[in-house]
Structures are given as structure tokens and as C-alpha cells.
Amino acid sequence: MIPVTKPYLPDREKLARYIDGIYERGWLTNNGPLVQKLTSRLEEYLGVKNLLLVSNGTLALQIAYRALGISGTQQKAEAITTPFTFVATASSLKWEGIEPIFADIDADTWCLDPANIEGAITPQTKAIVPVHVFGSACNVEAIEQIAKKHNLKIVYDASHAFGVKYKSESLLKHGDAATLSFHATKLFHTIEGGAIIFKRKESLERAKKMINFGLTGSEAIDALGINAKMNEFQAAMGLCVLDEIQVNLQARSDIWNTYEQALSNKFQLQARPKELEQNYSYFPVALKNKDSTKLTLEKLKEKNIQARRYFYPSLETTEFFQNRNNQTVSRSIAERILCLPLHHQINKEDQDLIIELLYS
Ligand SMILES: *Cc1c(COP(=O)(O)O)cnc(C)c1O
């Protein structure tokens, strides 16, 4: 079977040495030395400040909403977001009592289209939650202008954008917060895990308390909190995966570039801004229509190749969310999208076969 993605497993002996250290210290969680080390290594690698490690990418979003005061108050709140994303972007809002209000995506970049945001704003709107989908960049300048004008917070779901640069700087610097997922299937992972990058130090300090039950000492409860801590075993995996990230990136970029060369003339690919340095996380292709997408999926399946309809369905079509505006672009892309197999261990023959089947 050729899976659509495959977790990166780093050098096992190195991981064992980290685990030996955990055994010696007997310090398994609660901001241990490996979590601290991974925090500073990631801040350095990504070129960001105010990074907080958490137990997964969904809690990263929830904590970000809380730390920025979007959720957790008695007021009714809404946030404008994209229907073309993994369900956690919208479900995390709803879970926090914030109604996700969808605005349609751009037909070329597949990210939230700034032109559709203002029409979705109501007196209840507290935030914009865009997604740097497939690791491309949203129109961050236009979104920031709208947020300023209407006094809204911005939380980027940057789960796909690990290490992505825009205009020579980390894309994660945009927004009041940007969140990452370190799930096993993501480019960089800690088995399960995530992080929040805050613009301001005060938000980071608030979030630090929140992820540890609101405790500030053994006898002081300073805030209402939850448990969202990363543990030492997760951090050990992260440190090892980070050490080998160049190998992973090189393998992926070779595969990514081969796909692009073979497919860009015939198929619709995601448009990305010129000044983007991408991370080769995904290779999405939009086919002609729903039927050809299903047919291609079947042809691949026959040869034991797994492609994914990622992201399908467009979220406004599910029973859990409302659809106040029309999401025609998102629906059209969601019906035609396939993410092709992309990970560090796809060999040339398999990739040639995938490309051949797409043309067949
Ligand atoms: C993976 C992902 C998440 C959820 O992250 P977890 O770490 O699995 O909780 C959220 N949003 C997007 C866009 C994702 O791809």
C-alpha cells in the first residue's frame, strides 16, 4: 500500500538516549527540561517568540481563543472562518461557545477570501480565524486591515504552515496568535502535540496558566484553567524529529517538485503568493469535476494507492454548523480535491505510477 502520508520516525537510538534521561530524572511532565528545550529550539528554528507547547493542535486553538478573550466570557461570540479546512478549526470554536460563521474561499489560493469577510461581520463578531491551508499563506495584509478596522482578533490556524516563510519572515508572526499541530501525520510532529505562537508576551503568560489548571504555585489558583500540557516523551520525539527535519524536507521537496512538473499543465493546483517559502507538506490537486475525482480515486485504490479527499465535505454542509452565506467556491473545490501521497519515503516508481494514473 502507498499511504497518503506516513509519520516520520527518527533515529531510534537517539530517542532511547532521551528516554534514558527521562528515567534518570523521573520528571515526566509539568514543563520538564525536554519541553523547555524543545520550546527554545522551536523558537530558534521558526524565528518566533512567545511559543507555548501544548498537548495537541485542537487545544492550541481553544487555548488561543481563551487567552485572547474571544471565548470564556458571558457574551455571545462569533468568529469568521473558512469552510475549507479540517473540521477542528470550526469545531474548536463551537466547543468554546463561539459560533463559526463561514466566509467563502478564494478560487485560486483556497484560503479565506478577504473580500467575503466584511459581509459576514455582525455586532457579535469577535475574531477572524483563517487557515493557511496546505501551508500556503492567507492574504495576511488584507485580513489585518479588516481586523483593525473592526477591532477583531486574528487567530491563524497554521497547522499546515510549520516553517513556512512569507516575505523572508516566519508566516507564524501574523495574527494575535498562530497555532500549530504536531500530530503524527504532520510535517513536524511530537506524536500528538501542538503549539501557539502569540504576538504578545501577556497573552503567552495568560495561556501558560490556563494549560496547567490555572495554577501559579502549589497553593495558588490564579485563573480558570484546563489541562493542555505537553509531556516529556512527546518533547523527546519532537527534539529527534527536529534534528532530522532537513532530511525530511529534502525528500519531500524532491517529490513535490516532480509532481508539480508532471501535473501543472493539465490540472488545477493551488496558487501560492510569490514571496512564499513553502514546506512541501501536501500536494493537493483539483480535478475537473466530482465524477472524475471519484473515478481517479477508484483507479488509485485499485493499485493500492491512497489519496485523500482532503478537505471534503465543505464544512457548511455538515449538520453541526450553520451556513449564513453561500460557500459555492469551497463546495466546488471540496468536491474536486485530492491530496496525493506525499511523505519522505515515496520512491520514484510509485510516484510515476501515481502520475500515470492521474492522466489515464
Ligand atoms: C491537524 C489539524 C488540526 C488539529 O490538530 P491536532 O493536533 O490533530 O489536534 C487543526 N487544524 C488543521 C487545519 C489541521 O490540519
Side-chain angles (χ1 to χ4, degrees):
M1 218 261 285
I2 306 173
V4 67
T5 184
K6 197 172 192 177
Y8 187 91
L9 289 170
D11 183 72
R12 195 168 172 166
E13 266 150 40
K14 185 185 262 181
L15 183 62
R17 286 197 295 278
Y18 276 114
I19 291 172
D20 288 345
I22 299 174
Y23 270 70
E24 279 159 29
R25 287 185 294 274
W27 188 351
L28 308 191
T29 186
N30 287 32
N31 199 29
L34 298 183
V35 164
Q36 292 174 36
K37 188 170 171 177
L38 183 61
T39 303
S40 54
R41 292 251 338 254
L42 284 173
E43 285 186 340
E44 189 188 354
Y45 178 79
L46 299 168
V48 297
K49 281 189 279 202
N50 303 329
L51 181 145
L52 181 65
L53 290 172
V54 294
S55 43
N56 63 60
T58 306
L59 276 163
L61 286 162
Q62 289 173 242
I63 299 292
Y65 309 147
R66 289 260 168 183
L68 295 169
I70 303 163
S71 57
T73 62
Q74 295 307 308
Q75 291 165 312
K76 257 186 101 183
E78 293 176 0
I80 294 163
T81 189
T82 166
F84 186 67
T85 180
F86 183 58
V87 64
T89 315
S91 58
S92 63
L93 283 165
K94 191 107 190 179
W95 202 264
E96 285 294 323
I98 308 163
E99 194 60 42
I101 305 298
F102 297 118
D104 208 355
I105 56 171
D106 179 275
D108 300 318
T109 68
W110 308 340
C111 292
L112 188 57
D113 186 344
N116 298 326
I117 294 175
E118 283 194 294
I121 294 175
T122 73
Q124 273 80 49
T125 309
K126 299 279 184 300
I128 309 173
V129 182
V131 179
H132 297 305
V133 76
F134 304 131
S136 185
C138 293
N139 186 339
V140 288
E141 290 91 356
I143 291 171
E144 190 167 344
Q145 264 190 4
I146 296 166
K148 259 206 185 118
K149 185 173 155 195
H150 296 274
N151 194 23
L152 305 174
K153 298 279 196 264
I154 307 172
V155 177
Y156 281 106
D157 182 342
S159 295
H160 300 172
F162 184 86
V164 172
K165 287 189 176 166
Y166 176 62
K167 297 191 173 165
S168 308
E169 284 212 89
S170 173
L171 180 59
L172 306 170
K173 286 186 173 180
H174 291 274
D176 298 285
T179 66
L180 292 166
S181 163
F182 301 154
H183 184 260
T185 54
K186 303 294 205 281
L187 169 66
F188 168 80
H189 77 92
T190 59
I191 311 170
E192 293 268 7
I196 315 165
I197 293 95
F198 287 105
K199 179 157 280 167
R200 290 170 215 87
K201 179 107 178 151
E202 307 91 79
S203 323
L204 170 71
E205 294 305 328
R206 215 171 300 136
K208 265 188 192 167
K209 278 184 221 165
M210 286 178 173
I211 66 166
N212 189 31
F213 314 101
L215 301 177
T216 46
S218 60
E219 294 175 359
I221 304 163
D222 208 56
L224 191 66
I226 187 102
N227 181 1
K229 302 186 298 289
M230 178 176 277
N231 68 50
E232 290 290 276
F233 286 79
Q234 289 171 291
M237 178 60 92
L239 286 163
C240 294
V241 175
L242 191 59
D243 278 343
E244 295 172 32
I245 195 93
Q246 283 316 329
V247 183
N248 191 359
L249 279 171
Q250 185 60 54
R252 283 168 169 275
S253 73
D254 291 346
I255 296 157
W256 198 99
N257 287 322
T258 304
Y259 274 139
E260 193 194 34
Q261 265 177 19
L263 302 173
S264 62
N265 285 334
K266 179 77 194 291
F267 298 92
Q268 183 189 353
L269 305 182
Q270 183 184 28
R272 279 163 291 118
K274 272 203 189 65
E275 292 151 297
L276 189 86
E277 291 166 53
Q278 62 144 328
N279 66 8
Y280 309 100
S281 284
Y282 298 91
F283 198 92
V285 193
L287 304 190
K288 213 161 59 212
N289 54 44
K290 195 176 178 174
D291 292 339
S292 59
T293 308
K294 282 194 178 152
L295 198 66
T296 303
L297 204 57
E298 274 162 31
K299 276 191 235 163
L300 291 165
K301 207 170 157 194
E302 262 168 39
K303 300 279 180 198
N304 248 338
I305 300 163
Q306 184 193 34
R308 253 192 93 178
R309 298 183 79 191
Y310 206 51
F311 296 99
Y312 176 87
S314 184
L315 292 179
E316 87 286 357
T317 63
T318 66
E319 64 178 294
F320 309 103
F321 306 113
Q322 321 176 4
N323 183 28
R324 236 180 246 175
N325 313 290
N326 238 345
Q327 320 302 331
T328 44
V329 181
S330 174
R331 227 175 270 200
S332 158
I333 300 297
E335 277 182 355
R336 299 185 285 124
I337 197 90
L338 283 186
C339 275
L340 302 183
L342 179 56
H343 53 78
H344 59 289
Q345 283 175 337
I346 292 179
N347 65 42
K348 181 90 183 68
E349 269 162 47
D350 290 346
Q351 195 179 13
D352 287 344
L353 175 63
I354 295 163
I355 292 163
E356 196 186 304
L357 288 168
L358 275 162
Y359 275 100
S360 71

